[in-house]
Structures are given as C-alpha cells and as structure tokens.
C-alpha cells in the first residue's frame, strides 16, 4: 500500500521551490494558525478551533487550484490570498479585529473586490488566449466581465451573511449606530410622506411584557443595512481598480508589470518559474 504523506498531498514542494517569499509566507502563517489553534484548545474555545481548521484548509486552496487546473498563480497574488484568509479568519474572528478596528472589514472587502476582479479577468483572459476556443474579446469587454464577476461574488457573500444571521442567529451583518434617518413609516398621518428623524440620542427596547430597556448606544441601531451597502461599495471600488488595470494590460498586450502579479497563466507542460526578482 502506498504510504500517504499529508504535507506532500497538500503542498506541492516543487511548486514553491525557489520561491522564498511564498514559502516563507505559507510556513509562517500556517505556524501562527497552529499555535492559535493550540491556545484555543487549551482555553476550550472549540468554535475557534473549527475556525483554525477551516483556515488551514483554505490555505491549501490556491495550490489545489494550480495542480487541478494546471495554472500558475503569481506569487504576489498567492501571498495576498493567504494573508487575506489569515486576516479574515484568525485576526478578524478570533482576535476580534472586526470590533477593535472598525475599518478592518472595509479593508478586507476592498481587497476582496480587487482579487475577484483579477480572478474573473484571468478566466476570460485564459479563454481569450486559448487557441482551442474560438473567441476574441475586446479589452473593454474583458474589463466589464471582470467587474461583473467581482460584484456578483460580493453580492453572493452578502446573501451568505444574511442567511447565516437569519437561520443561525449570527451577526455577520454588523450593526451601525446612526443619529438620524428618514422613513415614511414615521409619518403621523400614515401617508407616503418622508418623515425626517434627527438627533436620535438612544435606542430603547420595549418588550412584550411592557418592560423597557435603554441600550445607551448614543443613537439608532441600524440592523445590517449600512454595513451591507458599505461592503458592496468598497467591493465596487476594488473591482473598478483592477478592471482598469486589466483593461490597460490587454490594451498594451501584456506589457503592464503590475497586472502580471495578479493574472494566473495556463501551464502548457512547462515547469513553474519563479517570478522575476525572487
């Protein structure tokens, strides 16, 4: 019986050989996750242990995609993906950076929009350059496709957050404290007239038994709407940025050095080569 090795089955050592920055990032991040998981086991935080296991599994996805689809993900993009996973799962969830740093979620959604635009662009670019596929798309169409792909992923993710909150009682769509809002529901006459509520000082909960609880929030508690819209907006910004970069990359026939670090290429029985400067 053939002996299996977990490391060899999940990490292509030949693929990272000579790529010191990628290998260093992979090893350091994996070690940090393992140490975090040990600490969570000791503290009996088993939900966080699951997050650590999920993170280790997600770390293998880029390499799995390369091996199964015979593509080469640029080192820069792969390192960013690994760091993104670590920042979202370990720092964001376990270390509670989402609460400590209000901008943390915004930064990650911006990066998400950028990365998925790059992935969408790469898919179209690979088809565009494949001689077996009879299609030639213009740079503008490729940029628009990349943008739409990224925004679709962003919307699907917000659906996922809403679903987890609705079905499992989580709070992935974080609340926002605001001091003013507009609503036709507040119109005293019950007409379709916008009623402007200003200078809201607090939110008071009134329970079915008549008891009341002042939350002391300093404003009105918006349940997830503003958070969702901000996530989609920064996803939009990230998608637009890469779509513009991708457009000029194709327009100049691949001369853009920056774009090369984010566009995977199909391996046609060629050995992987380290990126220049590594």
């Amino acid at each position: 019986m053939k002996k299996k090795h977990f490391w060899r089955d999940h990490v292509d050592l030949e693929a990272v050989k000579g790529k010191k920055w990628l290998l260093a990032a992979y090893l350091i991040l994996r070690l940090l996750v393992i140490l975090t998981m040990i600490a969570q086991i000791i503290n009996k935080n088993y939900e966080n242990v699951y997050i650590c296991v999920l993170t280790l599994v997600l770390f293998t996805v880029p390499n799995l995609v390369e091996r199964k689809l015979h593509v080469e993900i640029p080192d820069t993009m792969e390192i960013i993906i690994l760091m993104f996973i670590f920042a979202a799962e370990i720092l964001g969830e376990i270390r509670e950076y989402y609460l400590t740093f209000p901008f943390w979620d915004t930064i990650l959604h911006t990066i998400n929009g950028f990365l998925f635009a790059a992935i969408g662009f790469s898919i179209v670019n690979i088809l565009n350059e494949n001689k077996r596929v009879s299609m030639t798309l213009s740079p503008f169409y490729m940029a628009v496709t990349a943008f739409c792909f990224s925004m679709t992923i962003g919307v699907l993710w917000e659906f996922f957050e809403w679903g987890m909150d609705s079905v499992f009682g989580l709070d992935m769509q974080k609340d926002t404290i605001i001091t003013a809002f507009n609503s036709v529901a507040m119109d005293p006459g019950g007409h379709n007239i916008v009623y402007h509520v200003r200078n809201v000082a607090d939110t008071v909960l009134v329970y079915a038994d008549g008891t009341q609880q002042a939350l002391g929030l300093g404003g009105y508690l918006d349940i997830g709407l503003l958070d969702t819209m901000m996530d989609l907006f920064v996803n939009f910004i990230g998608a637009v940025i890469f779509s513009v970069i991708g457009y000029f990359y194709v327009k100049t026939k691949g001369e853009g050095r920056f774009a090369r670090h984010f566009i995977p290429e199909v391996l046609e029985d060629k050995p992987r080569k380290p990126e220049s400067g590594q």
Side-chain angles (χ1 to χ4, degrees):
M1 181 180 293
K2 183 179 179 181
K3 187 177 180 180
K4 295 185 177 180
H5 299 277
F6 179 84
W7 180 266
R8 293 179 182 176
D9 290 344
H10 292 80
V11 181
D12 188 350
L13 292 179
E14 292 298 324
V16 297
K17 188 176 181 180
K19 299 190 172 189
K20 58 182 181 180
W21 293 113
L22 175 58
L23 181 59
Y26 189 91
L27 294 177
I28 292 173
L29 293 176
R30 178 177 279 258
L31 177 61
L32 291 175
V33 174
I34 292 175
L35 292 176
T36 301
M37 183 166 59
I38 293 174
Q40 299 307 311
I41 293 175
I42 295 175
N43 295 329
K44 297 182 180 181
N45 294 326
Y46 298 115
E47 182 177 346
N48 288 344
V49 173
Y50 166 77
I51 294 177
C52 291
V53 172
L54 175 63
T55 302
L56 292 175
V57 172
L58 292 176
F59 278 171
T60 66
V61 172
N63 185 256
L64 182 65
V65 170
E66 287 185 311
R67 296 171 64 181
K68 296 298 183 180
L69 301 182
H70 303 289
V71 299
E72 180 175 9
I73 301 175
D75 293 357
T76 302
M77 185 178 188
E78 193 162 350
I79 291 173
I80 292 177
I81 290 174
L82 295 176
M83 294 180 66
F84 178 87
I85 296 171
F86 182 82
E89 300 297 333
I90 304 302
L91 298 181
E93 296 291 347
I94 297 179
R95 300 298 298 174
E96 298 182 344
Y97 275 30
Y98 290 129
L99 300 178
T100 306
F101 306 104
F103 56 83
W104 193 256
D105 186 56
T106 300
I107 293 175
L108 292 182
H109 275 281
T110 306
I111 297 174
N112 179 79
F114 183 92
L115 289 178
F116 274 103
I119 294 173
F121 185 88
S122 300
I123 294 174
V124 180
N125 187 57
I126 289 173
L127 293 175
N128 218 31
E129 295 182 352
N130 193 328
K131 297 179 180 179
R132 292 175 295 181
V133 179
S134 57
M135 61 181 292
T136 303
L137 306 178
S138 69
F140 177 77
Y141 185 87
M142 293 176 66
V144 171
T145 302
F147 170 79
C148 293
F149 180 84
S150 177
M151 291 304 299
T152 300
I153 297 298
V155 170
L156 291 177
W157 177 254
E158 294 303 322
F159 284 168
F160 172 76
E161 287 189 347
W162 172 81
M164 295 299 289
D165 292 351
S166 301
V167 178
F168 297 101
L170 301 182
D171 187 23
M172 297 186 70
Q173 293 177 301
K174 297 297 186 290
D175 307 328
T176 305
I177 307 301
I178 59 178
T179 58
F181 63 93
N182 310 304
S183 173
V184 297
M186 301 293 293
D187 177 51
H191 302 293
N192 188 30
I193 300 175
V194 178
Y195 189 80
H196 306 285
V197 180
R198 297 290 182 267
N199 302 318
V200 180
D202 197 6
T203 299
V204 178
L205 298 181
V206 180
Y207 296 97
D209 60 1
T211 59
Q212 299 184 9
Q213 178 186 3
L215 301 182
L217 299 175
Y220 168 70
L221 186 65
D222 177 80
I223 309 296
L225 174 62
L226 294 181
D227 175 75
T228 297
M229 295 310 299
M230 177 58 69
D231 290 346
L232 291 176
F233 179 70
V234 295
N235 190 105
F236 168 87
I237 293 176
V240 167
I241 291 174
F242 187 86
S243 296
V244 173
I245 293 173
Y247 171 82
F248 286 104
Y249 174 80
V250 178
K251 195 71 174 179
T252 58
K253 299 182 179 179
E255 294 181 1
R257 294 183 179 181
F258 181 80
R260 294 178 187 175
H261 295 290
F262 299 94
I263 299 178
E265 297 180 352
V266 177
L267 292 176
E268 299 178 353
D269 299 325
K270 297 179 182 179
R272 290 169 57 106
K273 297 180 181 180
E275 290 185 5
S276 58
Q278 296 190 14

